[in-house]
Amino acid sequence: MLDENLPTFFYRRSSNPLLSILYFTQSGSEPVGEYSIQKINPDLPQSRNKYAVALGDAAIQDVIFAEVLIEPEFQQPTLSAAEVRQQNGVPPPPVPLIPDGFTIQLYNPEQQVVVKGEKSTWTGKESFEFEMPQQSFRVPSVSKVDRQLNDPGASSLTPKVTFKWKRDSKFSKDMTCYMTGTSVDGRKNKDPDITIAMYKHAKEPSLTMYEPNLRRVEIEDRKGLEVVLLLGAEVIREIYLSPTRDTFNIAGVSNKRKNSRPTPTASTSPAHMMTSAIGNVPPAKTTSPITQQPTPPRDTAGIDAETKRLQALVQQEEREREKRDRAEQKRIKKMLEDEERERQRRDAEVAKETERLRKEFGLAGQDFGPKPSLPPRPSHNGASSSQLHPPAPPPRPVSAGPRPHGGGGGFGGWFHGVGSSPGAPMPHPQQGNPYGYSNGNASGSSSTGRRRGGSAGEGTGKVQKKKSTFF
């Protein structure tokens, strides 16, 4: 028990194997019978291949609050040759398929709660989700039209609260119920998980309501939520967590343990069953199956025929397996041959393209000649320095000779004068003219032009100071 102050229900079996009592306790009080879990009688013909359980009142068991009915689908199992031989050729009975979910039918008011199961592919844990409407009862009204309307819980526009049972771990059978959000018309709104109830799987299973969080559940039918939690936890335990062979009351399945040795019958002669001479029954040692072991030929022939049939079945399977192996070998061989032909075709295409390019462009530019020789290395026996350095390249030839120049003055000497060609001597400037040109005065008199920065008519080269008018 998580806490004795929280409301807790205990599942306890009674003397009747088809009846279990749910005892309620809170705040350390003595357990009191609150509900009863009733199962259908497997001996009834209408209970074959079905699972049915109901939750009713503990005192008045005829009052039913909710029930669950599951009719599974059956599938014929596929057996190997060894299993068929072990079964003596008798086909095995069909195997029931466990459904992905179930429906809880509530009464007063009538409402169906669908529980959908799913399994996580990452963690492997199972979870079971269901929804409860926020409004389950109709508003009291004197109008006949309002009374003819359906209950609000059956409308898809009524907001519903989503709950989910989650297993604590993959190898644990304990579960916890969370409130995960709300949904309106199929559109779900995810909220943080809020713990509502906790189921403890033990020798005496128990379900604890986490009362502090029940105030946050906006549901009008609190009694219906309690019934759904109690009955849903029991169905999940019996169908998904701890299933048994007779869960669905399969026809022909006995609950008792089968004896490996056949029990001897009280009388082996049909005459004893037809008469009332009970005292003339022979002793037990003469009627034991060990002393009267001979088998009629009819049974031996049947066994031989069954043995031959099984041998033929095994030989047929071996022939089919060999046929499949040969077909697989042929397929692989053909695949390898196709790959080899494809490789040869690609090689031929590459060779053809290479030959075409060789004919179109030739081999020009592809032969780079011999490799250049390395420079000579210095020897250690005192070689001369001329051998260490390569010879100087010869002088480049002159493409044009020197231009002839005239004796005229002016600026022609700068562009067409002597010395314009390489190796020609530079001309000497004329006497009295440091710039190399004459101004037409051959007598060597002083220039009549004004020098930059000096006064006219002065040849001394000195700059005279001017008197300022301000200083």
Side-chain angles (χ1 to χ4, degrees):
M1 182 185 298
L2 181 63
D3 189 357
E4 62 178 7
N5 294 323
L6 297 176
T8 306
F9 293 88
F10 292 96
Y11 296 80
R12 295 180 180 177
R13 297 184 179 276
S14 62
S15 57
N16 186 0
L18 304 178
L19 182 65
S20 299
I21 305 298
L22 273 68
Y23 290 87
F24 174 75
T25 179
Q26 186 178 9
S27 301
S29 61
E30 291 294 332
V32 179
E34 186 75 14
Y35 298 102
S36 64
I37 294 180
Q38 307 172 21
K39 297 181 180 180
I40 191 171
N41 188 3
D43 298 333
L44 298 177
Q46 62 268 22
S47 66
R48 296 297 183 184
N49 302 330
K50 295 179 182 179
Y51 171 83
V53 63
L55 184 70
D57 188 78
I60 307 175
Q61 299 177 3
D62 294 338
V63 178
I64 303 299
F65 299 114
E67 65 180 5
V68 174
L69 175 63
I70 301 177
E71 296 182 7
E73 298 180 358
F74 290 85
Q75 182 182 11
Q76 191 72 23
T78 304
L79 302 181
S80 61
E83 293 176 345
V84 171
R85 191 182 304 108
Q86 185 178 3
Q87 296 290 338
N88 295 329
V90 179
V95 178
L97 299 178
I98 298 179
D100 296 335
F102 56 93
T103 302
I104 301 177
Q105 176 67 45
L106 297 177
Y107 297 106
N108 194 21
E110 294 188 1
Q111 179 183 340
Q112 290 185 351
V113 179
V114 180
V115 182
K116 300 178 181 179
E118 59 182 4
K119 186 174 182 180
S120 175
T121 57
W122 180 258
T123 59
K125 297 192 301 183
E126 296 178 342
S127 60
F128 304 89
E129 185 179 12
F130 63 93
E131 296 178 350
M132 293 285 294
Q134 294 183 357
Q135 183 181 0
S136 301
F137 306 102
R138 288 180 293 181
V139 179
S141 175
V142 296
S143 175
K144 294 183 179 180
V145 177
D146 295 341
R147 294 179 181 179
Q148 294 176 357
L149 295 177
N150 296 329
D151 294 334
S155 177
S156 61
L157 300 179
T158 303
K160 298 181 180 180
V161 182
T162 306
F163 300 91
K164 181 177 289 188
W165 281 104
K166 295 182 181 180
R167 296 181 62 175
D168 295 347
S169 64
K170 182 178 179 181
F171 304 100
S172 175
K173 297 182 180 180
D174 298 341
M175 299 184 300
T176 305
C177 184
Y178 300 94
M179 183 177 65
T180 59
T182 58
S183 65
V184 179
D185 196 14
R187 295 187 298 269
K188 296 183 178 181
N189 183 18
K190 179 68 176 178
D191 293 336
D193 295 346
I194 300 175
T195 303
I196 301 299
M198 290 154 287
Y199 178 80
K200 185 70 174 178
H201 182 82
K203 186 176 181 180
E204 186 178 73
S206 62
L207 188 142
T208 302
M209 300 286 185
Y210 199 71
E211 193 176 16
N213 289 341
L214 290 178
R215 301 177 182 178
R216 306 174 62 179
V217 181
E218 299 179 357
I219 286 182
E220 188 177 28
D221 189 7
R222 296 295 183 91
K223 187 73 172 180
L225 177 61
E226 180 178 296
V227 170
V228 169
L229 292 176
L230 293 173
L231 186 58
E234 178 67 14
V235 175
I236 292 173
R237 183 187 68 84
E238 291 189 346
I239 300 297
Y240 300 95
L241 300 185
S242 302
T244 58
R245 293 183 56 188
D246 57 342
T247 301
F248 296 102
N249 298 326
I250 301 175
V253 176
S254 177
N255 297 334
K256 298 181 180 180
R257 182 179 177 181
K258 294 182 179 181
N259 191 4
S260 59
R261 178 178 299 178
T263 57
T265 57
S267 175
T268 57
S269 176
H272 296 166
M273 299 177 60
M274 300 293 293
T275 62
S276 58
I278 303 300
N280 296 332
V281 178
K285 60 180 182 180
T286 59
T287 60
S288 62
I290 299 177
T291 57
Q292 298 181 359
Q293 190 64 26
T295 307
R298 180 175 54 83
D299 296 337
T300 304
I303 294 175
D304 295 341
E306 183 66 20
T307 303
K308 292 181 180 180
R309 188 186 68 83
L310 293 177
Q311 291 177 357
L313 181 62
V314 172
Q315 293 177 1
Q316 182 180 0
E317 289 183 356
E318 291 179 355
R319 287 192 298 268
E320 291 179 355
R321 183 172 64 254
E322 292 177 357
K323 184 178 179 181
R324 290 193 300 267
D325 294 343
R326 288 194 299 268
E328 183 68 16
Q329 291 177 2
K330 291 182 180 179
R331 187 185 67 83
I332 295 175
K333 184 178 180 180
K334 183 179 179 182
M335 181 179 64
L336 294 177
E337 292 177 354
D338 295 343
E339 291 180 356
E340 182 65 21
R341 286 194 295 268
E342 182 68 18
R343 186 183 62 81
Q344 294 178 0
R345 186 185 63 82
R346 288 197 301 267
D347 295 345
E349 290 180 356
V350 171
K352 183 178 179 180
E353 182 68 15
T354 304
E355 186 66 22
R356 185 187 67 81
L357 294 176
R358 185 182 293 111
K359 291 180 180 180
E360 181 177 356
F361 299 101
L363 300 177
Q366 299 185 7
D367 190 7
F368 298 97
K371 296 183 179 179
S373 59
L374 297 176
R377 297 184 179 181
S379 60
H380 299 281
N381 50 4
S384 61
S385 62
S386 61
Q387 296 179 357
L388 299 178
H389 301 281
R396 297 178 61 184
V398 180
S399 61
R403 284 179 176 270
H405 62 281
F411 293 98
W414 289 90
F415 304 99
H416 306 286
V418 181
S420 60
S421 61
M426 296 297 294
H428 297 284
Q430 297 182 4
Q431 188 177 1
N433 189 357
Y435 298 100
Y437 63 90
S438 63
N439 53 4
N441 190 2
S443 61
S445 60
S446 61
S447 175
T448 59
R450 175 180 292 181
R451 290 185 61 186
R452 184 179 299 176
S455 59
E458 296 181 0
T460 59
K462 296 182 179 181
V463 180
Q464 295 183 0
K465 296 181 180 180
K466 294 181 64 177
K467 291 185 181 182
S468 174
T469 59
F470 298 102
F471 299 100

